Amino acid sequence: MTDPASLRAQAAAARRSAAGSTDMALPADRPVAQEVRFRTELRSQLVQRDGMDWYEVEGYASSFERGYEMWDAFGPYTEVVTKGAADKTLAADPEVVFRFNHGGTPMASTRNGRLQLWADEAGLGQRAWLNPKRSDVQLLVQAIEDSDVREQSFMFRITEGTWSPDYTEYRINSFDLERGDVGPVTYGANPHTSVSARSGEFLASIDHLSPLVAREALARLSERADLRTPQPSAPATAAPAASAAGRSISMVRARLLAQLGDE
């Protein structure tokens, strides 16, 4: 089994090789609109604003200068949001909405003045005023008060970023929030949505897969042409040996499947 340090080193080497003499602008296979989640403290309270009652929900949608693990098409790396990365987009007064889990009807927005965004030493902060008459708002506030929802997230587009010389760390130096969203999420710790990002979760779960799932995964991986070991062309007289090798591979695969056991 490859240890995490070796896996990171192999991934970095693959990025260097893929980049060649040209700097890689973005992590490979990264979605255009990326979601990143952070562990943060959420606060909610009932306040008076403009002569009406509102639930005021406040927290940080991101943290600056704090590394977190990400995955791209090559493997794991550390990502950091640079302090100042939000300055340009906030100066442009972006249209951003406040939503739970990046879905459902927006609960507040910068356009109606019920969502405020700022950047400070800690990160990207947000403060939203939510209508207490809405049932979805009531459920969200109750979940926050019960500590069932404790994480924050924001959806953005990278406008400038750089890799470290060894391709082990990627820094987001500037991002665009226009038509993005911020708000609480059920889970933090960056459970990213791209296929390559979920590779880490898959590797971590391999040892705990049920026999049925393990057999299916093995069967599908064995069909991938890019994972097959290239076989040198054998002379005509070596045909029987090649056939034997084929039988040996089949035997090894059969033994592996047998070791997985039956459901």
Side-chain angles (χ1 to χ4, degrees):
M1 181 182 297
T2 305
D3 64 274
S6 296
L7 194 62
R8 291 174 67 88
Q10 293 174 23
R15 289 187 200 100
R16 285 196 299 269
S17 177
S21 59
T22 304
D23 290 337
M24 189 181 296
L26 290 172
D29 196 35
R30 189 181 184 117
V32 175
Q34 176 67 50
E35 168 200 354
V36 176
R37 306 182 178 195
F38 292 86
R39 298 189 182 276
T40 183
E41 180 182 352
L42 278 169
R43 299 176 296 276
S44 65
Q45 60 179 335
L46 192 63
V47 301
Q48 279 272 325
R49 186 171 186 261
D50 300 329
M52 295 179 58
D53 288 335
W54 302 92
Y55 278 121
E56 183 181 87
V57 178
E58 180 178 321
Y60 280 89
S62 78
S63 299
F64 297 153
E65 302 299 336
R66 290 176 57 186
Y68 50 88
E69 184 175 86
M70 286 282 285
W71 282 66
D72 65 1
F74 302 105
Y77 65 94
T78 298
E79 186 167 274
V80 179
V81 181
T82 302
K83 177 185 173 184
D87 292 352
K88 185 175 181 180
T89 188
L90 292 180
D93 190 24
E95 181 174 357
V96 184
V97 298
F98 179 96
R99 294 193 295 185
F100 175 54
N101 272 342
H102 299 288
T105 305
M107 300 178 181
S109 74
T110 54
R111 284 293 168 259
N112 64 21
R114 291 197 288 106
L115 174 62
Q116 290 183 351
L117 302 173
W118 71 88
D120 56 23
E121 295 290 326
L124 175 68
Q126 61 82 19
R127 183 182 299 113
W129 290 273
L130 313 181
N131 188 342
K133 297 179 181 179
R134 290 177 50 165
S135 59
D136 54 352
V137 169
Q138 295 171 16
L139 290 173
L140 173 60
V141 171
Q142 188 62 59
I144 293 173
E145 292 178 349
D146 292 343
S147 296
D148 292 326
V149 172
R150 297 172 295 173
E151 321 298 346
Q152 283 271 99
S153 176
F154 73 123
M155 187 76 75
F156 63 98
R157 289 182 296 277
I158 297 175
T159 54
E160 182 183 345
T162 56
W163 283 98
S164 61
D166 62 358
Y167 278 94
T168 60
E169 178 183 285
Y170 184 77
R171 276 189 168 268
I172 299 176
N173 296 324
S174 180
F175 59 81
D176 184 9
L177 285 169
E178 178 64 26
R179 301 186 72 79
D181 61 57
V182 299
V185 290
T186 304
Y187 295 109
N190 306 301
H192 307 289
T193 56
S194 71
V195 172
S196 59
R198 290 198 299 270
S199 299
E201 297 178 9
F202 172 73
L203 290 176
S205 68
I206 282 180
D207 293 339
H208 309 289
L209 294 176
S210 69
L212 177 64
V213 176
R215 284 196 298 271
E216 179 65 17
L218 179 62
R220 293 190 184 190
L221 288 172
S222 67
E223 295 299 319
R224 283 185 48 167
D226 58 335
L227 298 182
R228 298 171 187 164
T229 303
Q231 298 293 328
S233 300
T237 56
S243 176
R247 290 196 299 273
S248 297
I249 293 173
S250 299
M251 184 178 298
V252 169
R253 184 173 183 275
R255 287 177 178 175
L256 179 58
L257 290 174
Q259 291 174 0
L260 291 173
D262 295 323
E263 283 289 298

